[in-house]
Each structure stands twice: as structure tokens, then as C-alpha cells.
Amino acid sequence: MGRRPMKPRRVAVIGFGAIAGELVETLRSPHEPEYEVLVWLRPGSPSRERVPAGVAVAESATELSAFAPDLVVEAAGHGAVREQVSEALALGLPVLVSSIGALHDQALMSRLVETAKAHGGRLLLASGALGALDYVRAVRSARELELTYESRKPPAAWAKELEALGQDPQAVAAPLTLFEGTAREAAAAYPQNLNVAAALALAGPGFEATRVSVVCDPEARGNTHVVKAQSEFGTMQVAIANRPSPTNPKSSWIVGRSLLAAIDQYFSPVMML
Ligand SMILES: NC(=O)c1ccc[n+]([C@@H]2O[C@H](COP(=O)([O-])OP(=O)(O)OC[C@H]3O[C@@H](n4cnc5c(N)ncnc54)[C@H](O)[C@@H]3O)[C@@H](O)[C@H]2O)c1
């Protein structure tokens, strides 16, 4: 008896910016499994005209529901986590979230978890620009755990912050620590850097027990993340140097690929946890 061809997996992507645009393009390219893609935009969004022909667009939860997605993916920003992610969970759908920084808001996090529980949906958190979250999950309840995250970028990336401190970005000659504190404090001070720190905090011992530092370094090339975990089980140190996305220098290029890997994994008969 011949094998029946698998039905395409139905994926709804929230937003159509740098990451979502690249992700939609890759999901539509020849791929195993095959994907059918819908883009979920805010009503009247100017992004609509950039959505390729042949890709369905939804502008409401009702239209999303009519598409009957197998998975919803957010790559749109913190506002979308508060709005569309919440609506998709209320429809009982699994939602892969990249704007994890939004979850430092405890009230929002609890509301999303309760909605998922009540309707049978799932909140899936993407590792995004970071790696090694599997190890961090394994040591999360170690007694002697010290977990630190450092974000290091060149002065051009911190122009606004340096000016607020009365420093000339052109004149920074040596590494300068701009922030040191908990992942929750970092959320308030540097929201655009928190997606990665928040992912680490949620994989690990939480927002209070995860230490974050933000360094401006004239020698830094690109956006580097250093994660160190030390506990009675041993030590881990990971350094990642990400190149910026060609279409949005604030986002790391790898994020679209990281989401694709997570989506493939979600539908795969073999799962690496
Ligand atoms: N986890 C990570 O490592 C990581 C890394 C980079 C970016 N991100 C997240 O991904 C998001 C997108 O990044 P990007 O580089 O594509 O940004 P971008 O600015 O290029 O695109 C964001 C797009 O989303 C749209 N949008 C905003 N709110 C929306 C909503 N409520 N509904 C539908 N569309 C909405 C915007 O109009 C825009 O087109 C970032 O805001 C960030 O939170 C996560």
C-alpha cells in the first residue's frame, strides 16, 4: 500500500516585519513538511501590500479561526503578545512567542498561562537569538546556581543610552558597564534587549535570580551574548556573536532561522528537548 502524502501544516504568523517576512518566505519554499501560511495583521496595516500573492491574510481572531491553524507564531513585538497571542490562546491554539521580554510583566504572564490552561492552548517560548537554554533548564533548581547574562555591543548601538549618561558615543575608549541588575530590572531599563534575558530567566531560576549586565565596548564586533551558569553540577559558558538582520539592524539575523527550527521541531516525529 502506498504512503498517503501528508497534508500541509497550517501556520499563522503574526506580523510581517523583518523576522516574520523572512520566516514566511522560508516556510513557503520547498520544505518537508509542507506548510500553508497565513499572515495575521492589525486591521489596515501598511504591511499588507508587502505580503506575497498567494499568502492569506487575517485581520481578526475570527478570520484566524476560519484558517484553522495547527500553530500560531508571533514575531511582531510586545504589543502582539498582549493582544493577538492572548486571543489565539483563547481559541485553544498553540502559540510560539518570540517577544518573550513582554512576559516580565507578571500579570500578563499569569493571564496567558490561565487562558492556555482554560482553553487547551499552549504558550511555546522560542530560544530566539540565544542558545544553551536546554542546559539552563537542567540546572534551574540547582542549590548553588549562579546564572549571568552579558549583552555586549559597540557604542553605536548604545548612542541614546550614552547621551543620557552625558557621554559622547564617539569618545568611548574602553569597555563601559551601562547596567547591572536582575533580569526584571533589565526589562524596565532596556526593553529592546530583554527578549534574550527573559528567555534565560524563564528557562532558568526566574527574573529575580538571573543577573544581567549590559556593556558598551568599542572593540565589540556585532551583538554578543555571554551566558555563564555555575552550580554544584559544574560550569557552562556560552558566547554567541550574532550578525544583525539585513532588514532590521536591531534584530539578530539568526532569529528567523531559530523560529523555523522550532516550527519544524514542533511538527517532527522526532523531538530534541
Ligand atoms: N527572542 C529573540 O531573540 C528576539 C530577537 C529579535 C526580535 N525579537 C522579537 O521579534 C519582534 C519582531 O522583530 P522584527 O525585527 O521583525 O521587527 P520589525 O520592526 O521589522 O517588525 C515588526 C512588525 O510587526 C508588526 N506589528 C507590530 N505589532 C503588531 C501586532 N499587534 N499585530 C500584528 N503585527 C504587528 C509591525 O507593523 C512590523 O511590521 C521584535 O519586536 C522582538 O520583540 C525576538
Side-chain angles (χ1 to χ4, degrees), residues 140-161:
R140 68 185 302 175
S141 50
R143 262 180 306 110
E144 294 163 20
L145 179 63
E146 271 176 42
L147 179 66
T148 61
Y149 163 71
E150 181 199 87
S151 168
R152 187 174 288 258
K153 295 183 189 179
W158 300 119
K160 228 173 45 187
E161 288 79 4

Side-chain angles (χ1 to χ4, degrees), residues 1 10 31 39 70 107 110 130 156 182-183 212 246-247 257:
M1 224 165 55
R10 302 170 75 79
H31 208 88
V39 172
D70 296 308
S110 309
L130 204 58
T182 66
V212 174
T247 35
R257 292 297 163 143

Side-chain angles (χ1 to χ4, degrees), residues 15 17-19 40 42 47 75-77 80 84 98-99 128-129 195-196 248 251 255:
I19 296 171
W40 185 6
R42 287 172 292 191
S47 301
Q84 283 95 329
S98 76
S99 300
N195 287 314
V196 160
N248 181 5
S251 286
V255 179

Side-chain angles (χ1 to χ4, degrees), residues 136 140-141 145 147 200-210:
V136 173
R140 68 185 302 175
S141 50
L145 179 63
L147 179 66
L200 193 65
L202 286 166
F207 282 93
E208 259 64 54
T210 304

